[in-house]
Amino acid sequence: MAKPVSIEVWNPNGKYRVVSTKSMPGTRWIHLLTDQDCRVEICTDKKTILSVEDILALIGDKCDGVIGQLTEDWGEVLFSALRRAGGKAFSNMAVGYNNVDVGAANKYGIAVGNTPGVLTETTAELAASLSLAASRRIVEADQFMRAGLYDGWLPHLFVGNLLKGQTVGVIGAGRIGSAYARMMIEGFKMNLIYYDLYQATRLEKFVTGKSLFAFHFMTTSQIPSFQLLGLSSYYFLTAYGQFLKANGEQPVTWKRAATMEDVLREADVISLHPVLDKTTYHLINKERLAIMKKEAILVNASRGPVIDEAALVEHLKQNPMFRVGLDVFEEEPFMKPGLADQKNAVVVYQSSEVFGGFPIYGA
């Protein structure tokens, strides 16, 4: 029998029992539940990741719903237990749900929710931060200074990559990929190449406000009337390009690549934003790393197994000017041997969900 797990209780006399496997930022999500007459039990156990046995102990004999985390294995065992306890809903505090066996949830009649949209800007900002940190060698320079090794300026000391005028490649142009592209184009005037199985209509309509601002610099004869409704990326970037040109700068360009390999070959900075499934497992492997530019920057803030981490370590060793920024890892919470030793790797773990949003379970 599993050892009892410590909990914090809100609204102890509530009609519905909802369990959260982790304490989450703020209290608004708690009040939304207690306002619906829910008894909310929040796990306060010190373990970073709860085991299946721990979650079974939390579910107990009566449980109406659970709010869980992307690090937990929600499959046959947990969904069957939740159903036996009278449960009807599970909410995953994540955009992705590769940790959830949707088939098992359907089998036991458990509704599954996730948190799409609320993490878009925060995750995109983190990817942009990793891009900048890797390109300008921020972490290396910080460690150098803290170690007391700086004894004067040198022309070649921590020379990084200039982003302005370079090409940013986006693989997976959904909400987060599109938000990241917008940041890199507007923030650093980078050209864009993207690959997605579907036409990225979100990407092609992004930055409406700036589009209208840029359109101010064009005559109405230059903008087809139907385009004022669509604001596709072609006209956004054309208008933005005209704005840059009017200020003496080079216009930005964009294109949708026919293959992912085209992005890997052409881009100076590549950011990964696909979902994780059988088709994207080890999407970036030894062969695909080899076709990238020797001084390329690879960023992953999606899911760790999208990259063959062992192959990445070897590539970093053999190509010291190739750099990566990683927020996720193949076998979290562990990194593959050798990754932490590579100075050309920026490795962080930051919860993009902080103040970004919260899951809602309605009783």
Side-chain angles (χ1 to χ4, degrees):
M1 185 174 179
K3 181 181 177 182
V5 179
S6 58
I7 59 170
E8 173 187 347
V9 180
W10 291 67
N11 192 30
N13 297 319
K15 180 179 178 181
Y16 306 99
R17 181 172 179 260
V18 176
V19 170
S20 176
T21 62
K22 280 282 183 292
S23 176
M24 296 183 291
T27 58
R28 187 182 172 201
W29 64 278
I30 298 172
H31 294 306
L32 285 170
L33 291 168
T34 56
D35 287 348
Q36 298 299 316
D37 200 18
C38 293
R39 171 190 169 101
V40 180
E41 296 185 12
I42 304 169
C43 177
T44 56
D45 199 277
K46 298 301 182 182
K47 289 183 182 178
T48 302
I49 301 174
L50 296 184
S51 67
V52 169
E53 290 72 23
D54 292 329
I55 299 173
L56 287 173
L58 282 171
I59 291 172
D61 298 325
K62 182 187 181 303
C63 183
D64 295 287
V66 176
I67 300 172
Q69 306 295 318
L70 58 86
T71 53
E72 300 159 1
D73 182 13
W74 277 84
E76 179 85 15
V77 174
L78 291 180
F79 283 123
S80 62
L82 182 55
R83 185 61 181 176
R84 286 194 302 272
K88 296 180 180 178
F90 167 73
S91 180
N92 203 40
M93 189 187 171
V95 174
Y97 49 90
N98 53 285
N99 62 308
V100 179
D101 184 340
V102 177
N106 287 335
K107 176 180 176 181
Y108 293 102
I110 305 295
V112 175
N114 63 343
T115 56
V118 297
L119 308 181
T120 298
E121 297 296 326
T122 54
T123 307
E125 284 180 6
L126 180 56
S129 299
L130 288 169
S131 301
L132 187 59
S135 66
R136 302 316 299 248
R137 302 174 67 179
I138 300 295
V139 175
E140 289 180 79
D142 177 86
Q143 293 173 343
F144 183 83
M145 291 296 295
R146 290 176 189 273
L149 300 176
Y150 180 68
D151 57 8
W153 179 85
L154 290 171
H156 56 75
L157 193 61
F158 297 109
V159 174
N161 293 31
L162 179 69
L163 294 179
K164 182 181 178 182
Q166 303 301 302
T167 298
V168 60
V170 174
I171 295 175
R175 285 185 298 267
I176 295 172
S178 294
Y180 169 82
R182 169 177 57 79
M183 293 175 187
M184 303 308 286
I185 292 169
E186 292 189 298
F188 302 103
K189 300 181 177 68
M190 298 188 77
N191 300 311
L192 170 69
I193 180 171
Y194 82 90
Y195 175 75
D196 199 289
L197 293 176
Y198 304 96
Q199 186 172 3
T201 54
R202 292 189 187 93
L203 180 57
E204 294 181 355
K205 295 178 181 178
F206 75 96
V207 200
T208 302
K210 185 146 190 175
S211 297
L212 294 175
F213 176 71
F215 284 146
H216 176 73
F217 293 91
M218 301 175 66
T219 65
T220 54
S221 62
Q222 291 176 288
I223 310 170
S225 58
F226 68 85
Q227 198 59 49
L228 291 172
L229 298 175
L231 297 178
S232 76
S233 65
Y234 174 79
Y235 282 94
F236 161 67
L237 291 178
T238 299
Y240 186 40
Q242 293 289 338
F243 169 69
L244 292 175
K245 190 175 181 180
N247 285 273
E249 298 191 66
Q250 282 291 110
V252 293
T253 63
W254 77 277
K255 72 175 177 178
R256 180 186 176 190
T259 68
M260 185 178 68
E261 285 73 15
D262 290 339
V263 176
L264 300 180
R265 289 190 190 95
E266 295 184 32
D268 301 290
V269 179
I270 299 148
S271 192
L272 306 174
H273 300 280
V275 297
L276 175 62
D277 58 23
K278 293 179 181 178
T279 67
T280 59
Y281 177 79
H282 282 189
L283 189 72
I284 302 299
N285 53 25
K286 179 180 179 180
E287 292 72 26
R288 284 177 170 150
L289 285 166
I291 68 175
M292 296 182 185
K293 295 179 180 181
K294 295 299 183 183
E295 296 184 0
I297 294 163
L298 177 64
V299 172
N300 187 19
S302 59
R303 289 290 184 267
V306 167
I307 296 179
D308 180 344
E309 205 167 289
L312 177 63
V313 171
E314 290 306 310
H315 191 76
L316 289 168
K317 289 178 180 178
Q318 296 168 18
N319 299 276
M321 295 310 294
F322 184 94
R323 293 192 285 279
V324 296
L326 305 174
D327 167 55
V328 287
F329 307 93
E330 189 173 349
E331 296 177 356
E332 292 182 11
F334 307 105
M335 291 186 286
K336 290 286 180 154
L339 180 59
D341 300 325
Q342 304 312 308
K343 293 184 178 180
N344 47 344
V346 177
V347 288
V348 302
Y349 196 85
Q350 180 176 346
S351 177
S352 299
E353 291 84 357
V354 174
F355 303 117
F358 46 85
I360 301 173
Y361 168 79

